[in-house]
Amino acid sequence: MPATKQAARRKDDPGPGPADVEIERKAGVLVLTLARPDKRNSLSEAMLGALQAGIEEASRDGVRAVIIAAKGTAFCAGHDLKELSARRGDADGGRAYYASIMRLCADLMRAIVRCPKPVIAAVQGTATAAGCQLVASCDLAVAAEHASFATPGVNIGLFCSTPMVALSRNVPRKRAMEMLLLGEMLPARAAAEYSLVNRVVSAAKVMDEALAMARLIASKPPATLAIGKEAFYRQIEMPLAEAYDFASGVMVANMMHAEAKEGIGAFIDKRPPVWDKS
């Protein structure tokens, strides 16, 4: 009999069969690894659910940062088009299933943004369509020098409308339209110029760089990070005056927090701050 497929599994758990997403902890950092290299890590229904569960786990427990990585030559090839196409035989031509998958994907991207822990993409290969959306949805991204990015749906008659949401909120408008309308591959260095990724390193250093960023973040006061991340994504959608009013209220609330009291006191006393990591 074939091995049983699991949506997600701890990396050190042998389990009965392969998993779509492997979960591993590294000194306060939760690493979620896309593990369908033979399918170019395409976002099957099971993988979307597994990633969502991993992000929700990170939101609840004591990890300080999350890294989304991948096995194989592709980071993520977007939705599993074979899985989607197989539902054209449904009574409604697949409409209800497609709506369900798009909701599931949108829920995942929103979960990444709403997660109180910073989420870093470690991109070792190509990231296309919803895979590019996944990178854009993360707070930070490190890419290998040979990595590439694209929203190529226009080439197959399926405009990348949902990837467009994250893309247009991360790169300048005309750059986003160029990617969406031309559907061409964007090299990693250009992706950095477009602000789609933060850093470009050699392939051998992608995970090391992502972990270094995650561990530096993990050394910061955790409540302050959560306050700041939530405020960033809320204010960015507001008009300028409303954003300043909102951010001012956040600053006041943050000022009243014990972390601000400790951090400012340590600065004045010229000593290292001591953060509560519980």
Side-chain angles (χ1 to χ4, degrees), residues 34 36-44 47 70 73-81 125-134 150 152-153 156 160 185:
L34 311 185
R36 299 180 78 210
D38 56 322
K39 303 294 185 182
R40 298 182 63 77
N41 295 312
S42 56
L43 295 172
S44 64
M47 182 178 278
T73 59
F75 176 75
C76 178
H79 288 291
D80 187 329
L81 296 180
T126 55
T128 55
C132 186
Q133 178 185 6
L134 181 59
I156 60 170
C160 284
M185 279 291 184

Side-chain angles (χ1 to χ4, degrees), residues 132 135-143 149 166-173 175-176 179 186-200 232-233:
C132 186
V135 176
S137 297
C138 292
D139 304 302
L140 301 170
V142 177
F149 305 81
L167 188 68
S168 64
R169 283 162 169 74
N170 282 268
V171 306
R173 183 174 299 181
R175 295 299 195 186
M179 292 181 68
L186 186 71
R189 295 289 179 190
E193 292 174 6
Y194 285 17
S195 300
L196 181 57
V197 302
N198 299 87
R199 299 179 184 178
V200 178
F232 177 86
Y233 287 111

Side-chain angles (χ1 to χ4, degrees), residues 1-5 16-18:
M1 293 178 64
T4 302
K5 185 71 173 180

